[in-house]
Amino acid sequence: MRFGVVVFPGTWSDCDFHYVVSEVLRQPVKYIWHRDRNLDDVDCVVLPGGFSYGDYLRAGAVAGRSPVVEALGDFVARGGHVLGSCNGFQILCEAGLLPGALMRNECLQYRCQQTHLVVENVETPFTRGLRVGQVLTMPISHGEGKYYADAGALAKLRKNGQIVFRYATAEGQVTRTANPNGSLESIAGVVNEEGTVLGLMPHPERAAEPAMGSTDGLLIFQSLLGSLVEDGSFLKR
Amino acid sequence: MRVRVLVRLKPGILDVQGAAVKRALMGLGFTEVADLRVGKVIEVELDAPTAAQARARADEMCRRLLANPVLEEYTIE
């Protein structure tokens, strides 16, 4: 399975994602420059964390209108998969590829800490190897990660099972104190209606080897690999 | 021609930045402050033959980039 890691000016998790895909998962991976519109030779595009174009207007606003992100619409329509983490999640929301938006953390502080995520939907290619209620440990590192969607969008997310991860305690309880940024209903990650685009604020690439303190981030990649091999969708493209 | 765009959070969306500034004002003794919301002013210098056309272009800028329709509303002066 071929991965493409997008690099914007100001991206900072690109090398980490590249390392995990190439050295830990042993899959082919290349960098994709933000001006590139050609996504023909990859199966999964990764939008890493960072501060794309400095995030001066709003987090992810300028990147959400960049050439590579404009090409993602067609890529997804052709069956491609997209994983956006942190700034990548903000960019996917700004681009309209995922519903909702990410706002300033309710505490107004930048939060860099370990979090626990409880898995809510295992019917997506990114979570098929997990079980409902499973708790994953991976870090967050952001100032603008408070998920917001209006009442109509939230109802639709719930109805379609698009809420994939919620912030929780180590035991998997969704509580107010386990919510690090004030996200609506403790939402940490959502997918599009088809389940082929995942956005999450935590960093799976920073929980991929025992030395990092957790390997739970790998489970997302392994689910995706397993799903695409199983249904052969990466061979059809 | 100069266009001034005001971008602010939609009513009903919690403005944590505004709440923090309000608390700071209260701390300085401005106890009469009942509510405070922080927004953004964006001033755009542009070439346009008429004010109406300048406004139409600014409106397009807001829809495509300057405001996030999920969170924000805008007015053009």
Side-chain angles (χ1 to χ4, degrees):
Chain A
M1 180 174 172
R2 300 156 303 175
F3 287 83
V5 176
V6 176
V7 184
F8 298 97
T11 298
W12 72 15
S13 274
D14 44 339
C15 298
D16 293 357
F17 267 109
H18 194 283
Y19 169 81
V20 169
V21 173
S22 62
E23 301 301 317
V24 182
L25 293 164
R26 300 280 173 192
Q27 296 295 313
V29 56
K30 66 168 193 170
Y31 289 114
I32 300 173
W33 188 232
H34 63 114
R35 291 209 183 92
D36 208 343
R37 291 175 186 273
N38 184 359
L39 304 172
D40 288 344
D41 56 353
V42 296
D43 304 298
C44 179
V45 171
V46 176
L47 297 178
F51 296 85
S52 49
Y53 304 105
D55 274 351
Y56 291 120
L57 183 64
R58 292 181 306 277
V62 178
R65 285 88 179 156
S66 62
V68 68
V69 172
E70 283 181 351
L72 280 180
D74 275 351
F75 175 75
V76 172
R78 293 199 311 268
H81 289 69
V82 182
L83 169 62
S85 158
C86 195
N87 194 219
F89 186 14
Q90 296 162 341
I91 293 167
L92 288 169
C93 288
E94 279 284 346
L97 290 164
L98 288 175
L102 282 313
M103 307 175 62
R104 184 79 69 94
N105 291 350
E106 204 155 284
C107 58
L108 286 169
Q109 295 162 331
Y110 191 96
R111 282 291 168 96
C112 184
Q113 64 186 64
Q114 201 68 270
T115 59
H116 305 287
L117 310 176
V118 63
V119 179
E120 190 154 312
N121 177 356
V122 294
E123 305 293 322
T124 83
F126 300 95
T127 54
R128 273 177 68 187
L130 306 171
R131 57 174 201 283
V132 172
Q134 186 171 350
V135 179
L136 307 184
T137 301
M138 56 184 93
I140 56 165
S141 175
H142 61 246
E144 294 176 40
K146 176 187 174 183
Y147 186 77
Y148 171 82
D150 64 27
L154 179 64
K156 213 172 145 200
L157 283 169
R158 283 207 202 104
K159 180 169 155 275
N160 298 331
Q162 288 172 258
I163 301 165
V164 175
F165 301 118
R166 292 186 203 262
Y167 299 107
T169 63
E171 294 74 37
Q173 299 299 311
V174 177
T175 65
R176 196 173 160 75
T177 47
N179 182 347
N181 53 25
S183 282
L184 178 71
E185 299 209 343
S186 294
I187 292 172
V190 299
V191 288
N192 62 346
E193 280 186 53
E194 295 75 25
T196 53
V197 178
L198 169 67
L200 75 170
M201 285 313 294
H203 287 268
E205 82 285 8
R206 297 185 195 174
E209 284 188 316
M212 300 182 196
S214 168
T215 55
D216 290 351
L218 279 186
L219 300 172
I220 293 174
F221 290 98
Q222 285 161 349
S223 290
L224 182 62
L225 286 172
S227 302
L228 299 204
V229 170
E230 203 173 302
D231 71 10
S233 63
F234 79 103
L235 294 174
K236 283 182 225 143
R237 293 188 53 246
Chain B
M1 208 166 297
R2 174 175 293 188
V3 174
R4 177 178 291 193
V5 179
L6 294 172
V7 180
R8 61 194 115 195
L9 286 173
K10 287 179 179 172
I13 294 185
L14 177 67
D15 175 13
V16 287
Q17 198 184 357
V21 175
K22 182 188 160 194
R23 274 197 302 278
L25 283 176
M26 306 280 267
L28 290 172
F30 295 100
T31 49
E32 70 272 33
V33 177
D35 191 25
L36 186 157
R37 292 174 76 78
V38 174
K40 247 182 271 189
V41 176
I42 302 170
E43 287 181 334
V44 187
E45 285 278 346
L46 74 169
D47 285 330
T50 67
Q53 274 161 304
R55 174 178 285 272
R57 291 294 283 172
D59 189 67
E60 199 180 336
M61 290 175 203
C62 288
R63 280 185 282 112
R64 290 192 54 193
L65 179 66
L66 298 181
N68 179 335
V70 176
L71 300 174
E72 296 168 329
E73 58 182 23
Y74 60 87
T75 51
I76 299 167
E77 293 171 357

